[in-house]
Structure formats: structure tokens, C-alpha cells
Amino acid sequence: MFTEETARAKVQAAEDAWNTRDPERVSLAYTPDSVWRNRDEFIVGRERIREFLARKWARELDYALRKELWGFRGNRIAVRFQYEWHDAGGQWWRSYGNELWEFADAGPHSGLMRRREASINDVRIAESERRIPGPRAPGEECVLPVF
């Protein structure tokens, strides 16, 4: 289903949507019965996804994300990502993660994500160590450092 070009476009569209921090907009990329594992949380359905994202962005302030295509095959994409945010106390964090995505390839929800599995680790950083100041500028390439 995916080519390298369409997989990269899907990853960029996801990054752009998540950087809006708009749970309604982001949730529309998922099937109504989408299944998620996010860290240690298991979420089923678009409405639960919206609720999860609202909680997430209420806690992860000034969230800024970069995603990078890791691989793809058929209707699946693997992504690595980093995002930075601060908590209510002002502590900055960099979160590193990997996602596995599976898309509906037929029917009324074709092209929407039906499964997302995310493994994420958080590292405390100083504000001066930030690398992701906000959404990616037009034409800016994504080259994520390992650490």
C-alpha cells in the first residue's frame, strides 16, 4: 500500500497534526475503533483517543514533536520520534519513542490508522538543552539525533 513517498507524507502529516495539540483534529486520523497501546495505557476507540490526548496535552505543556520514518511495508509504518515538553513545575523533558502503525486498507476507513503501539521513555533535560523549539519550519528536514 505505501511507497516511500506516501509513507513519508503520512509521517509528516501525523507530526503536523500532533503539533497542533488539538485532540479533535488528531483523533480524526484514526478509525472509530482504533486500538492503541501508549506506554502502559491501552485505549480503544476514537472517543477514548480524544480524551487521552486532552489529558496528555494538559500535562505535557509546550509540546513540540519530530517524527521520522523508520520503515514501512504493506499497510504498516514504523516511526521513531522525539518530543519536548515541560510539566506544571517548569521541568523540561525530552521523550524518545518508537511507534508501530497499521492502517485500514479497505472500506470506509481506508487510509485511517486502526492500530498504534507506542513505546516511550522520558529524560529530564534543562531548558538550555532543548532541540525542538516548535513545529518544523517548511522545508526543514528531520534528522533526529540518537541521544
Side-chain angles (χ1 to χ4, degrees), residues 14 42 48 53-54 56 58 66 69 81 85 106 109 131 135:
F42 296 85
R48 299 289 89 75
L53 292 171
K56 170 186 178 61
R66 295 292 186 277
L69 176 66
F81 63 88
W85 56 281
H109 304 297
R131 300 192 287 237

Side-chain angles (χ1 to χ4, degrees), residues 10 16-17 22 25 30 39 42 47 61 79 84 100-103 106 108-109 114-115 118 126 140 144 146:
K10 191 67 99 167
D16 293 345
D22 179 346
R25 176 179 172 189
Y30 303 93
R39 301 176 188 254
F42 296 85
E47 184 56 35
L61 306 173
V79 174
E84 294 174 347
L100 302 175
W101 299 346
E102 183 177 79
F103 294 86
H109 304 297
R114 67 179 173 207
R115 182 172 160 199
E140 178 187 341
L144 295 175
V146 175

Side-chain angles (χ1 to χ4, degrees), residues 54-67:
R55 285 192 321 272
K56 170 186 178 61
W57 289 319
R59 183 182 67 252
E60 296 178 355
L61 306 173
D62 294 322
Y63 173 98
L65 167 72
R66 295 292 186 277
K67 288 184 182 280

Side-chain angles (χ1 to χ4, degrees), residues 40-56:
D40 61 350
E41 227 176 309
F42 296 85
I43 304 159
V44 178
R46 192 181 282 162
E47 184 56 35
R48 299 289 89 75
I49 291 168
R50 265 194 294 274
E51 292 168 1
F52 166 82
L53 292 171
R55 285 192 321 272
K56 170 186 178 61

